[in-house]
Amino acid sequence: KQDHRWDVIGYAGPNESFEPSVEFHFLLKKGIWSKKAGITKAAIINVVAHELHHIAQCYSGDSRNLDEENPYEYFLLDHEVEAFHMGFRAESAYTGEPMKKLMQEYLSGWIEAKDITKKQSKEIIAAWLNPKWSLVNVD
């Protein structure tokens, strides 16, 4: 089950000098000390891999932040599908846990919050497990 004491959020794209840049924010529940939050190395590996993949993408399409408007649509954006795959692949390699299980655990919080349905989570996981790789040449 997802730990609700903390979250790691990343952003990738050009910085103020138009150089590739990645930024990470560690969000802690009020009253939680950073050393006691329980942020896992596996979660950080996931977010770092996800955001670095965004840097590798040749993405120039819709850059709206859709996760507040419609998480289901956001999770299925081509550039996000690729990046989520890379993040969970890195986390899986580190932990030994199957990618699908990690994805299910991550999406469980979105289901609990009623932001997505169980059916939608299955569609999202299917997409994340089988990205089209249209934005990065992975050969």
Side-chain angles (χ1 to χ4, degrees), residues 39-115:
I39 298 172
T40 66
K41 187 174 181 180
I44 295 170
I45 287 169
N46 181 322
V47 176
V48 169
H50 178 112
E51 296 306 329
L52 288 177
H53 187 74
H54 280 317
I55 293 294
Q57 292 172 330
C58 301
Y59 177 68
S60 61
D62 188 352
S63 62
R64 291 179 299 144
N65 184 0
L66 298 176
D67 67 347
E68 292 182 89
E69 296 173 27
N70 187 330
Y72 174 70
E73 287 180 9
Y74 169 78
F75 288 142
L76 292 177
L77 292 169
D78 288 344
H79 66 285
E80 291 300 335
V81 168
E82 286 185 5
F84 274 105
H85 178 91
M86 294 303 292
F88 284 110
R89 187 168 87 179
E91 184 178 354
S92 175
Y94 177 76
T95 63
E97 294 288 332
M99 286 174 60
K100 185 173 183 177
K101 179 182 178 202
L102 295 169
M103 292 172 180
Q104 289 168 331
E105 289 172 359
Y106 174 78
L107 291 174
S108 69
W110 294 87
I111 295 168
E112 286 176 27
K114 300 193 184 316
D115 290 322

Side-chain angles (χ1 to χ4, degrees), residues 5-26:
R5 295 178 298 165
W6 58 269
D7 198 1
V8 182
I9 298 174
Y11 302 95
N15 65 14
E16 61 276 355
S17 300
F18 300 101
E19 296 290 331
S21 175
V22 178
E23 185 177 312
F24 300 97
H25 297 263
F26 293 82

